[in-house]
Amino acid sequence: MITLATHVGYPQALIDKKATKETKALFVNLVKISQKGILFGHQESEAYGVGWKELPGTSDIKLVSGSFAAVHGWDVGNEGQETNVDGVKFSDMLKWMDEAYKRGGVNTISWHADNPVTGVDAWNKTPVVKDLLPGAAGHAAYVRQLGYVADFLAKSKGPIIFRPFHEHNGDWFWWGKGNCTEEEYIQLWRFTVDYLKNTRNLHHLIYAFSPDRSRINLNDGKKDYLYGYPGDDYVDVIGLDNYMDVGVAWNTKSVDEQRADLVTVLKLVSSIAKEKNKMAALTETGMEGIKNATWFTEVILNPIKSNSDIQLAYFMVWRNANTTHHYAPYPGHSAVPDFLKFYNDPYSLFEVDIQNLYKNDKPLLK
């Protein structure tokens, strides 16, 4: 049994002063867990997997390990339609989210928001952020779009880690660097949080900020990380999306160099979170196709465990769409033996390992 205690001198408080009791408890408990272990997450884990779709009580994670992931990732892109950006029905997503919450798992939602002005998807880079801000011509269109998201979030029975406008320091989304100014991005983020929290009175949200590692120069890491940071009053989670240091093909650095960079950037994220009394998380990572059969232990788990300054509440790998685009093993995959080794390590935490995340002063691990 791992003993968990709140870090001395490290008070945790959500930006929403009206946050629900369960939401406050989840935030504090995740910070506690980050001191001794890490929750494992998977995107759209129950919606589909390699070779199946919409099977009750199923996920590739559970088929391989016997347990669901501890963190369940979802996306509300394609807002206002019947299905999300990945073809998942919003009604089904809500059902799976509630099931995960009732089992004691954690839900996190990203938003690949359609471009509100052009009507095209999140990857349409037409500069529009300046037109979405209060007083601008496209503001009403953005509020309507955000309203669809708020309507969906309001239906959830449990707390949600909401992660909008991710990887903003890259240039691949319409809210990204080069497609809007830093100040425009900050204003969009602040309006979004204020609208959800104050206008729509949604008090079960934990707000996650998640720049992309590929645009962070580790020689000036803190400055680069904080590009577009909307302020301590608008962020709960100091997150990071990192595919760069975990075996992506275009990174020509050696395995040892990538491991060193991963440790460096995760220490950085952890230190910023501690300094700001926030929670740290590796909000997106993974190796497409898991071409390294020992990826889960050698590339992720061991580097995280190697340095006590790294304190992350969770890390989440991306979705399992098919035999080429997947980030978690499925039955018969060459990475299954290593994944089971990862699963059995006391430091890695799955849904079967956790309890009472939504309660105060209760044992968190089984």
Side-chain angles (χ1 to χ4, degrees):
M1 176 67 70
I2 298 175
T3 301
L4 297 169
T6 304
H7 194 286
V8 176
Y10 187 9
Q12 294 87 38
L14 289 169
I15 62 171
D16 186 354
K17 305 311 176 189
K18 297 181 181 179
T20 67
K21 184 177 179 180
E22 285 193 330
T23 307
K24 292 177 181 177
L26 175 62
F27 181 70
V28 171
N29 288 336
L30 288 177
V31 174
K32 288 181 181 179
I33 282 178
S34 72
Q35 296 163 22
K36 294 291 184 180
I38 190 167
L39 301 181
F40 170 71
H42 186 214
Q43 181 75 5
E44 294 180 342
S45 198
E46 289 92 282
Y48 51 82
V50 178
W52 63 271
K53 184 179 180 181
E54 299 174 2
L55 295 178
T58 304
S59 77
D60 282 344
I61 303 301
K62 189 176 181 184
L63 289 172
V64 168
S65 71
S67 172
F68 287 111
V71 177
H72 306 259
W74 308 99
D75 198 282
V76 289
N78 207 30
E79 57 283 348
Q81 305 301 312
E82 182 182 3
T83 61
N84 80 347
V85 67
D86 299 318
V88 179
K89 293 179 182 176
F90 280 100
S91 57
D92 286 342
M93 191 192 313
L94 192 66
K95 176 188 67 177
W96 288 316
M97 287 172 57
D98 286 342
E99 289 174 353
Y101 159 67
K102 289 174 183 176
R103 292 192 309 263
V106 179
N107 287 297
T108 180
I109 290 181
S110 53
W111 183 19
H112 283 88
D114 290 343
N115 188 311
V117 174
T118 67
V120 189
D121 62 26
W123 294 267
N124 177 259
K125 299 194 291 185
T126 303
V128 298
V129 173
K130 65 181 182 299
D131 299 318
L132 307 182
L133 301 176
H139 182 63
Y142 178 63
V143 171
R144 182 169 59 253
Q145 189 167 314
L146 181 56
Y148 291 132
V149 174
D151 290 344
F152 177 82
L153 295 174
K155 295 175 184 176
S156 173
K157 291 185 174 67
I160 296 167
I161 299 172
F162 184 49
R163 188 171 66 95
F165 307 127
H166 64 301
E167 300 172 6
H168 65 284
N169 54 341
D171 62 357
W172 43 88
F173 297 127
W174 56 260
W175 58 83
K177 190 174 185 178
N179 303 322
C180 66
T181 68
E182 183 177 19
E183 184 55 34
E184 288 166 354
Y185 176 83
I186 290 171
Q187 288 183 45
L188 180 67
W189 180 286
R190 289 179 176 177
F191 173 81
T192 300
V193 171
D194 286 339
Y195 176 85
L196 295 174
K197 178 166 60 78
N198 303 330
T199 303
R200 294 300 300 268
N201 291 309
L202 298 179
H203 301 299
H204 64 306
L205 303 180
I206 296 171
Y207 295 92
F209 177 75
S210 57
D212 190 78
R213 157 67 179 103
S214 68
R215 297 300 190 267
I216 296 174
N217 182 338
L218 295 181
N219 292 323
D220 199 3
K222 186 175 182 180
K223 178 184 176 183
D224 277 6
Y225 178 88
L226 292 174
Y227 171 83
Y229 185 69
D232 292 350
D233 292 338
Y234 285 88
V235 172
D236 295 308
V237 179
I238 300 297
L240 179 74
D241 289 8
N242 190 349
Y243 295 93
M244 178 177 176
D245 299 323
V246 295
V248 72
W250 51 261
N251 189 343
T252 58
K253 288 189 175 183
S254 70
V255 170
D256 289 342
E257 288 173 319
Q258 290 189 44
R259 177 184 172 119
D261 285 349
L262 178 63
V263 169
T264 297
V265 76
L266 295 184
K267 284 174 60 180
L268 172 68
V269 169
S270 299
S271 69
I272 293 173
K274 186 168 292 189
E275 172 191 316
K276 295 180 174 296
N277 293 334
K278 308 294 184 182
M279 178 175 82
L282 182 52
T283 42
E284 247 189 77
T285 190
M287 183 184 197
E288 187 177 32
I290 323 175
K291 299 175 178 64
N292 179 349
T294 58
W295 187 88
F296 282 91
T297 59
E298 295 300 324
V299 178
I300 284 290
L301 184 62
N302 291 347
I304 290 175
K305 289 170 60 178
S306 72
N307 194 298
S308 60
D309 290 332
I310 298 174
Q311 295 185 357
L312 308 173
Y314 66 90
F315 81 89
M316 189 180 74
V317 298
W318 207 235
R319 64 197 192 104
N320 275 21
N322 50 54
T323 54
T324 54
H325 187 62
H326 61 272
Y327 293 82
Y330 51 88
H333 195 286
S334 62
V336 166
D338 182 70
F339 187 78
L340 290 175
K341 185 178 177 182
F342 163 75
Y343 169 78
N344 287 313
D345 191 295
Y347 199 86
S348 69
L349 303 171
F350 286 64
E351 203 174 81
V352 72
D353 301 314
I354 57 178
Q355 61 182 346
N356 299 320
L357 290 187
Y358 300 101
K359 298 178 181 179
N360 293 312
D361 303 318
K362 299 286 186 180
L364 300 177
L365 304 180
K366 295 177 182 177

